Amino acid sequence: MGRRRPGTPTLEEVAARAGVGRGTVSRVINNAAGVKESTRRAVQQAIAELGYVPNLAARSLAGRRADAVALVMTEPDWRQFAEPFFSEIVSALGDAVADTGLQLLLTLVRSDAERLRFLEYARGGRVDGVLLMSVHADDPLPDMLAEARMPTVLLGRRSAEEYVSYVDADNVGGARTAVGHLLDQGRSAIATITGPADMYVAQCRLRGYHEALELAGLGGKPSWVAEGDFTEESGRRAMARLIERHPEIDGVLAASDTTAAGALQALRAAGRRVPEDVAVIGFDDFPLARRTAPPLTTVRQPLEEIGRAMVRLLLEEMEEPSVAWRHVILRTELVLRESA
């Protein structure tokens, strides 16, 4: 992006004139939803009075704007794309991008060769920004995009030290609340089925599980933790192993709703009643959670809000690439149904 001419009004000056934040000005410029009409008029008046020309518009006039953003899915296992999470978050992001007038391009990146190919595609000016999802701990693509100065926002993060902009849910707090609910019900032998160990989201949900038990003075037994991969089949297998080794288990936190659905199958096959014998809680609150038998108590992620926040951060980075990265963590909510 070229430098502004001396004396050219800045985004900050427009924000100050309108009495709003820089992000609000960016949303008005990009015609995003969620801005009050009175605020929108104030920003538009400030733009007119100052003669401000948005950088994105200047890029478009110069023929260097693609008017498109890429949604990149980095999951190497094709089977994962059948899981509800992908369709739900793609829908949420698609709705959020639709309000901006930009084109959303869906891209799959699963290997080093595909990473390099996508990097060259993005650097070639074919997209203005990148939304990344399903990123594992050792994935270098966010670093490659950052080095290329490509505006990028992650869904979740690779570690606690993530420096690329991201939007995440409070996975630790959500898991802690779920296990606390099981403890309040009088459950004392509580197991968990995790997600993949190389994904920070799974690590956070496992940490919340341990924190809740430690706060109650119980402490989780290592053998009460079974690793899954967020799929239904992994939940079924893990639950079968857990109840075979520890028949005293009376509560389970599964790292996703699909994992919990598999756990319910294994419990039913073993003759265990839910919730009478074993209470089960999932994570996500997909439509699936209302169709299981019994309907699933779960931790709701605000997927629509996550989608809007990711697109908002990306638009801000596209407008002002020099600003520092941003980190947003959104609250979760425990939704009570019959399984716990």
Side-chain angles (χ1 to χ4, degrees), residues 9 103 116 130 135 140 185 197 225 291:
Q103 183 68 37
L116 290 172
V130 177
V135 180
Q185 287 190 322
V225 177
R291 299 195 300 266

Side-chain angles (χ1 to χ4, degrees), residues 70-98:
L71 171 57
V72 180
M73 304 168 73
T74 61
E75 176 56 55
D77 186 349
W78 279 91
R79 294 173 301 174
Q80 297 286 357
F81 296 127
E83 297 301 318
F85 174 77
F86 288 96
S87 60
E88 293 290 329
I89 194 61
V90 169
S91 176
L93 287 168
D95 289 344
V97 172

Side-chain angles (χ1 to χ4, degrees), residues 97-130:
V97 172
D99 293 331
T100 69
L102 296 170
Q103 183 68 37
L104 183 65
L105 307 177
L106 178 61
T107 304
L108 308 181
V109 174
R110 300 152 299 155
S111 67
D112 289 341
E114 290 177 347
R115 287 186 189 92
L116 290 172
R117 188 159 59 244
F118 175 73
L119 181 65
E120 290 307 308
Y121 179 87
R123 292 174 64 179
R126 295 179 176 88
V127 294
D128 300 309
V130 177

Side-chain angles (χ1 to χ4, degrees), residues 216-264:
L218 295 176
K221 297 180 180 179
S223 56
W224 286 356
V225 177
E227 184 176 343
D229 60 11
F230 292 136
T231 65
E232 187 171 322
E233 179 57 24
S234 75
R236 187 191 63 77
R237 290 196 307 265
M239 190 73 252
R241 289 195 303 271
L242 284 168
I243 57 178
E244 180 181 358
R245 297 171 185 173
H246 303 284
E248 73 275 18
I249 287 173
D250 59 7
V252 178
L253 170 64
S256 74
D257 288 345
T258 47
T259 300
L264 291 174

Side-chain angles (χ1 to χ4, degrees), residues 1-11 13 50-55 57-59 61-62 64 320:
M1 184 180 297
R3 297 181 181 272
R4 292 186 185 274
R5 298 185 305 275
T8 302
T10 66
L11 194 73
E13 289 171 335
L50 293 171
Y52 174 74
V53 178
N55 281 359
R59 287 176 64 196
L61 290 171
R64 298 200 308 273
E320 294 288 337

